[in-house]
Amino acid sequence: MPVPTFEELLGSAKVSAVHLEMRDGYMPSDPAFAAWKQGALTDPVGDDADFQNWLRWVSDATGRGVAIRRARVVSVPESDNIRFEHYVSDANVKAGENIRWLPRRRATGIPLPGNDFWVFDNELVLVLHFDGDGEPAPDWMELTRDESVLGLCTSAFEAVWERAVPHTQYQPTV
């Protein structure tokens, strides 16, 4: 199945878009992450055009009634990258995302798929593939309507969501 751009996928969502993240590190090459690690990032949005676009897409989608939920399964103590993600997530929430955090120890017993994913309108799954360092793998986006994949991803997301802590209440330990 050909994969549209993420902007097109979110733009075509009618009711919901849910995202499950399970890695402790993403894109160490991200200049904003490097600036944050050096203490030089004082504005999470700043002049990051990609992040500004993301926030606009979220705002547009939620403005037309699409519920966007993101859940993160994280190791504790959190990695630098997860602490960075927490730092920038206030902007995501302000744009309309609902975000929750689940310490990995509390995820035991939840059947989880092997990859991060998005589910759009409970019918379409976007599987995300990363390399071992957290960079997007070649052909990193895979789209499927496979009912077994959809069922696993939907049930995994909802189980994580139920156990997870709302963003406003979650504080990294490090």
Side-chain angles (χ1 to χ4, degrees):
M1 181 180 305
V3 180
T5 67
F6 191 85
E7 181 181 13
E8 292 168 331
L9 289 166
L10 189 57
S12 66
K14 296 173 184 64
V15 178
S16 64
V18 301
H19 183 36
L20 184 60
E21 296 178 351
M22 298 175 287
R23 297 181 55 87
D24 285 322
Y26 294 91
M27 298 183 287
S29 63
D30 178 5
F33 175 54
W36 176 84
K37 281 182 72 172
Q38 296 168 358
L41 184 67
T42 57
D43 177 0
V45 179
D47 60 357
D48 185 334
D50 290 337
F51 194 37
Q52 290 171 358
N53 284 336
W54 170 254
L55 298 174
R56 182 177 42 79
W57 300 341
V58 168
S59 182
D60 289 350
T62 58
R64 59 175 204 282
V66 177
I68 301 177
R69 297 185 293 157
R70 177 190 306 249
R72 292 183 170 121
V73 177
V74 298
S75 297
V76 176
E78 295 81 0
S79 67
D80 283 347
N81 188 265
I82 293 301
R83 290 187 307 113
F84 167 73
E85 292 289 336
H86 188 271
Y87 172 73
V88 300
S89 289
D90 287 340
N92 295 64
V93 170
K94 185 176 180 182
E97 276 191 70
N98 193 348
I99 299 175
R100 292 189 182 180
W101 303 80
L102 181 64
R104 194 170 307 282
R105 285 182 174 265
R106 294 183 51 204
T108 302
I110 298 175
L112 297 170
N115 298 291
D116 291 5
F117 61 85
W118 280 88
V119 175
F120 298 95
D121 294 330
N122 291 318
E123 61 187 32
L124 183 64
V125 180
L126 176 65
V127 180
L128 303 175
H129 300 281
F130 295 90
D131 69 18
D133 292 324
E135 298 291 346
D139 298 327
W140 75 295
M141 297 190 333
E142 174 188 356
L143 209 54
T144 183
R145 292 182 186 275
D146 181 289
E147 289 294 323
S148 63
V149 173
L150 176 63
L152 173 62
C153 291
T154 302
S155 65
F157 180 86
E158 294 303 333
V160 168
W161 190 258
E162 286 300 313
R163 294 184 190 186
V165 178
H167 176 70
T168 56
Q169 298 171 16
Y170 188 80
Q171 291 301 315
T173 59
V174 193

